């Protein structure tokens, strides 16, 4: 078991879940979301923002957590 990637993975998952909860409860708190909507359009701006700030951290965190549990070194 490798602790470092597990800690980073838990932090990434926590950040992804935090942005998911904030997105549901009060999406107006995302200043960058409005800028992305203006630059890329409504649908593309939301898709880019959700991917960058929610989906990628959740996937990365899950991968790091699995690597840590299996003892796979990422460095």
């Amino acid at each position: 078991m490798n602790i470092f990637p597990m800690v980073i993975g838990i932090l990434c998952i926590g950040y992804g879940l935090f942005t998911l909860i904030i997105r549901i409860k009060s999406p107006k708190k995302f200043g960058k979301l409005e800028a992305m909507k203006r630059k890329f359009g409504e649908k593309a701006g939301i898709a880019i923002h959700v991917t960058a700030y929610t989906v990628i951290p959740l996937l990365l965190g899950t991968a790091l957590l699995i690597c840590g549990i299996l003892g796979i070194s990422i460095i």
Side-chain angles (χ1 to χ4, degrees), residues 7-22:
V7 170
I8 301 299
I10 289 169
L11 290 173
C12 287
I13 291 171
Y15 179 75
L17 291 175
F18 171 75
T19 59
L20 180 65
I21 291 167
I22 295 299

Side-chain angles (χ1 to χ4, degrees), residues 2 6 11-12 15 20-22 26-28 33 35 42 44 50-51 55 57-58 65-67 72 74-75:
N2 197 345
M6 291 176 67
L11 290 173
C12 287
Y15 179 75
L20 180 65
I21 291 167
I22 295 299
S26 56
K28 297 293 180 190
L33 175 58
E42 183 79 20
V50 168
T51 301
V55 175
L58 289 172
L65 196 58
I66 291 169
C67 286
I72 299 171
I74 58 169
I75 297 174

Side-chain angles (χ1 to χ4, degrees), residues 8-72:
I8 301 299
I10 289 169
L11 290 173
C12 287
I13 291 171
Y15 179 75
L17 291 175
F18 171 75
T19 59
L20 180 65
I21 291 167
I22 295 299
R23 183 176 315 285
I24 292 168
K25 289 191 175 191
S26 56
K28 297 293 180 190
K29 291 187 178 182
F30 289 113
K32 292 180 185 177
L33 175 58
E34 294 304 318
M36 287 185 179
K37 283 181 184 178
R38 282 193 301 274
K39 185 170 184 172
F40 299 109
E42 183 79 20
K43 288 183 181 181
I46 290 172
I48 292 168
H49 194 271
V50 168
T51 301
Y53 291 101
T54 303
V55 175
I56 290 175
L58 289 172
L59 292 175
L60 177 64
T62 303
L64 288 171
L65 196 58
I66 291 169
C67 286
I69 290 170
L70 296 176
I72 299 171

